[in-house]
Amino acid sequence: MTRSRFFNKFMRYGFIVLVLLTLGIGTPVEAYPIQIRIDALAAPNSTKHLVAAYLTKLLKERSHGRIKADIVRHEGNTSGIDETVSALTAGKIQMAIPAIDSFCRITEEIKIYEIPFLYRNREHLHRVIDDRVGEGLINKTAYPAFEQLGVWEKGTNHIVMKTAPGDSGGLPEKMIAGRLQPGPATLFRSLSSCAPVAVRTRQPFFWREATLPEALTLIDDLDITDIILSGHSVSGCVLIADKAFWSTLPDDIRIIIAEAIKDATLYARELAQQKDDEALARILSRSGVKVHCWNRQTQQQWRTAMLHQYGSSNNYAAGEKDLIDRVAHYHRVN
């Protein structure tokens, strides 16, 4: 082969290789901006929607245009977990923020964040979340296609009641005074039960749990007469991503997202506390509604009784009991 023919062939094939490299064929080339569609599964102006909007803002700013994040609504409703799972697996959305009491139908263990009286206070819950004590719960289930990225709180649960003097053999009065001890499977949902609390005796007495903003609505809808500030659990939601999508992201993009989620988590806590404080102020101004505060001793009595019930219940496997015990007694080591 003459030098001229060799040179011509080299130039021809070299040009083809150059074109392929330019088009990104044969080498990994990152495409920007990265589209992240987030389904907040919440109504506009709700706490969860506001936090999701804050997260999208952080992602856009901190990635300098490399991430294009938007809140979208797929065709399901604001609580349809089945539609959410389908949308994630089909790639219609990349992230979603279902409520824990909805997502526990997919992953029962996620209820660890909402078990009544498991946590000493909100700070205890925050330490468990921030130190990632329950990390990986989602991935141990039959749906390993999701990546748990964060847990956001929506508000603290309390006991709301509709009572009548002398009704139910003094049960309301005992509960209000903190003299009623938890009975097996009668007062609060368990880790393996996703049903909302609603324990009823003969009408007109009944009680259930609710956040303070929810209690405002229940006062009118159900003629609530008493609210016990039990603070026994926190309602929350979990931020999840499609694992296949998450695994394809560059390391630096995952770091940006993780840091933004941390700040959004803090904002969620501040907003939840603000909403609770505003709702309590409005409740205290309502006539016909009595607000009761349990003292620390009563709170501890209930917590001790419930932890004993969790440990002795046959509803939990050994691994679940170990997790409950580890979370209940968790202390951060600084």
Side-chain angles (χ1 to χ4, degrees):
M1 182 181 296
T2 66
R3 177 179 297 183
S4 176
R5 291 178 60 191
F6 176 84
F7 179 80
N8 290 338
K9 183 173 293 187
F10 174 83
M11 291 297 295
R12 184 167 61 251
Y13 286 111
F15 177 77
I16 294 174
V17 171
L18 179 62
V19 170
L20 291 176
L21 290 173
T22 302
L23 293 176
I25 300 175
T27 60
V29 176
E30 298 167 356
Y32 296 112
I34 296 172
Q35 179 71 54
I36 300 180
R37 302 176 185 86
I38 305 174
D39 191 346
L41 289 156
N45 299 320
S46 65
T47 298
K48 188 164 59 163
H49 197 279
L50 291 174
V51 178
Y54 180 63
L55 175 61
T56 62
K57 176 177 177 291
L58 293 180
L59 293 176
K60 293 173 184 177
E61 292 176 350
R62 296 181 181 181
S63 68
H64 302 290
R66 296 170 68 196
I67 297 176
K68 185 178 186 300
D70 298 289
I71 300 176
V72 300
R73 283 293 307 127
H74 64 266
E75 296 180 358
N77 54 48
T78 57
S79 61
I81 189 61
D82 294 331
E83 294 91 342
T84 301
V85 169
S86 297
L88 276 169
T89 54
K92 296 179 180 178
I93 58 176
Q94 287 69 50
M95 295 183 185
I97 317 171
I100 288 176
D101 61 3
S102 173
F103 196 67
C104 73
R105 289 178 44 213
I106 304 295
T107 306
E108 291 181 350
E109 289 86 349
I110 202 68
K111 290 300 297 179
I112 192 70
Y113 298 114
E114 289 190 350
I115 294 182
F117 293 102
L118 180 60
Y119 300 92
R120 294 180 293 276
N121 46 43
R122 289 174 81 169
E123 289 71 27
H124 179 191
L125 171 64
H126 295 167
R127 288 196 297 271
V128 168
I129 293 173
D130 294 344
D131 293 352
R132 310 176 80 87
V133 176
E135 187 179 57
L137 290 176
I138 290 178
N139 303 328
K140 296 178 181 178
T141 69
Y143 284 84
F146 305 124
E147 187 77 23
Q148 177 182 328
L149 301 180
V151 177
W152 295 347
E153 64 184 79
K154 298 185 294 182
T156 304
N157 287 312
H158 304 277
I159 299 172
V160 299
M161 311 173 70
K162 178 180 178 180
T163 66
D167 189 56
S168 301
L171 179 58
E173 290 81 0
K174 289 180 181 179
M175 187 182 295
I176 288 172
R179 296 194 302 269
L180 181 68
Q181 290 296 308
T186 58
L187 293 184
F188 287 102
R189 61 189 170 202
S190 65
L191 180 61
S192 59
S193 173
C194 301
V197 175
V199 178
R200 301 171 184 269
T201 61
R202 68 177 182 272
Q203 292 297 327
F205 165 69
F206 78 92
W207 73 274
R208 58 166 290 176
E209 70 172 1
T211 64
L212 291 173
E214 291 170 344
L216 271 174
T217 301
L218 295 175
I219 288 173
D220 294 324
D221 293 349
L222 301 176
D223 298 324
I224 294 299
T225 59
D226 296 87
I227 297 177
I228 303 174
L229 300 180
S230 55
H232 56 269
S233 68
V234 172
S235 287
C237 52
V238 57
L239 174 60
I240 59 175
D242 173 60
K243 185 177 284 291
F245 165 76
W246 182 256
S247 64
T248 63
L249 295 177
D251 291 341
D252 63 326
I253 290 293
R254 284 202 291 262
I255 292 174
I256 291 173
I257 295 173
E259 291 301 317
I261 290 173
K262 286 182 181 179
D263 289 339
T265 300
L266 295 178
Y267 178 59
R269 293 170 185 174
E270 294 173 1
L271 200 56
Q273 184 65 64
Q274 176 185 331
K275 297 288 186 182
D276 280 356
D277 293 343
E278 292 173 353
L280 180 59
R282 292 176 61 185
I283 289 171
L284 291 172
S285 68
R286 297 289 296 265
S287 60
V289 180
K290 298 178 182 179
V291 178
H292 312 270
C293 297
W294 279 349
N295 57 33
R296 182 175 297 181
Q297 181 181 4
T298 298
Q299 289 273 8
Q300 186 56 44
Q301 288 174 346
W302 272 75
R303 185 168 187 263
T304 300
M306 292 302 292
L307 290 179
H308 175 73
Q309 186 179 135
Y310 298 144
S312 60
S313 174
N314 293 325
N315 293 331
Y316 309 112
E320 293 173 340
K321 290 183 179 180
D322 290 342
L323 178 59
I324 291 173
D325 184 71
R326 182 156 52 96
V327 168
H329 300 95
Y330 180 74
H331 290 274
R332 174 179 292 165
V333 177
N334 295 319

